[in-house]
Amino acid sequence: MKLEHSFFFFVFFFLPTLIAAAAYDLEEEAATNPLIRETCRKVALNDSNVRYGFCAAALQSAPNSLCADSLRKLGFISVKLVRVNITSTRCYIKYLLRDKKVDPYVRSRLDDCLELYSDALPTVKQAVKDYQSKRYRDANVEVSSVIDAATTCEDGFEEKEGLVSPLKKRNDDVFKLSALALTIINMLPR
Ligand SMILES: *[C@@H]1O[C@H](CO)[C@@H](O)[C@H](O)[C@H]1NC(C)=O
Ligand SMILES: *[C@@H]1O[C@H](CO)[C@@H](O)[C@H](O)[C@H]1NC(C)=O
């Protein structure tokens, strides 16, 4: 009898509590902006360089992404993410260059990349301003040039066989984030 009691307790009380707790957890995790899901689905279809998962993770990483209630606001978030990525990549290159033992060939490529990213920084700052003022054509040109900077930097390392670019992940992130921003900019009504 006692065993039966605990069985009923388990099935009718404890189990539902467990299930409810698990469901609550899921809900917490799923607290994403539905507009991000919708937008990232469209972006992934429109640009094969940007996968849905990358797009969603990037946009969700912005602290104010839950508040974004329009494509325009998500686009603004994406352009600012590009700016943050460029700023930190530029710092990272400077940090790598401080190492005196860096191979001379790698150093010269890093020098090129530093120049590219140093030019990209004011460009992306201007893109943020142009976006804010709805000058989407200008923002488009500026973000496109950032994509070129990341590509040119990465290509420098690929010229020498067997060399692994120390900036591969960074360049890749800048490339994909910029492609994301560009796709959203091009989706906005002019
Ligand atoms: C991407 O979107 C743009 C603008 O809406 C459109 O002109 C273009 O055809 C789309 N490309 C693809 C591959 O869906
Ligand atoms: C750059 O952006 C990507 C995509 O959001 C992110 O995963 C990465 O951590 C960012 N890198 C830096 C250095 O900010």
Side-chain angles (χ1 to χ4, degrees):
M1 221 39 184
K2 237 183 165 198
L3 196 70
E4 235 167 78
H5 268 138
S6 41
F7 176 75
F8 280 113
F9 173 79
F10 181 75
V11 170
F12 292 106
F13 180 74
F14 191 61
L15 202 57
T17 309
L18 268 186
I19 291 170
Y24 179 76
D25 260 5
L26 280 180
E27 229 168 77
E28 281 287 283
E29 258 175 54
T32 58
N33 188 339
L35 188 61
I36 292 184
R37 270 180 259 152
E38 186 195 324
T39 303
C40 288
R41 265 198 289 271
K42 283 189 199 153
V43 167
L45 284 175
N46 196 278
D47 185 344
S48 59
N49 290 313
V50 187
R51 289 182 191 272
Y52 176 88
F54 178 88
C55 172
L59 292 177
Q60 276 161 30
S61 76
N64 54 347
S65 70
L66 273 180
C67 295
D69 55 3
S70 65
L71 185 61
R72 177 170 156 76
K73 286 184 190 160
L74 278 187
F76 193 49
I77 287 176
S78 71
V79 180
K80 284 194 290 185
L81 284 172
V82 176
R83 186 185 61 194
V84 172
N85 239 256
I86 287 180
T87 306
S88 77
T89 301
R90 186 170 167 273
C91 287
Y92 184 63
I93 298 170
K94 284 183 167 183
Y95 160 82
L96 291 178
L97 281 168
R98 281 206 297 270
D99 180 357
K100 301 251 186 312
K101 288 178 302 226
V102 154
D103 169 85
Y105 181 82
V106 172
R107 176 175 295 278
S108 76
R109 293 287 79 89
L110 286 173
D111 279 333
D112 294 345
C113 290
L114 182 60
E115 203 178 317
L116 287 162
Y117 275 98
S118 296
D119 290 345
L121 193 53
T123 306
V124 75
K125 284 182 179 163
Q126 187 59 41
V128 171
K129 282 188 200 147
D130 285 332
Y131 189 97
Q132 252 174 327
S133 313
K134 300 193 177 167
R135 289 187 296 264
Y136 298 134
R137 268 172 228 289
D138 295 332
N140 173 316
V141 171
E142 284 140 10
V143 174
S144 301
S145 87
V146 167
I147 296 189
D148 287 344
T151 312
T152 308
C153 166
E154 189 57 30
D155 285 352
F157 292 100
E158 275 162 22
E159 276 165 26
K160 195 168 176 179
E161 220 175 303
L163 190 67
V164 177
S165 161
L167 298 174
K168 182 151 187 51
K169 164 99 171 63
R170 307 254 172 178
N171 283 331
D172 210 46
D173 280 343
V174 171
F175 176 88
K176 286 192 220 150
L177 268 187
S178 313
L180 165 60
L182 200 57
T183 307
I184 296 183
I185 290 171
N186 291 337
M187 277 158 58
L188 290 167
R190 300 294 155 97

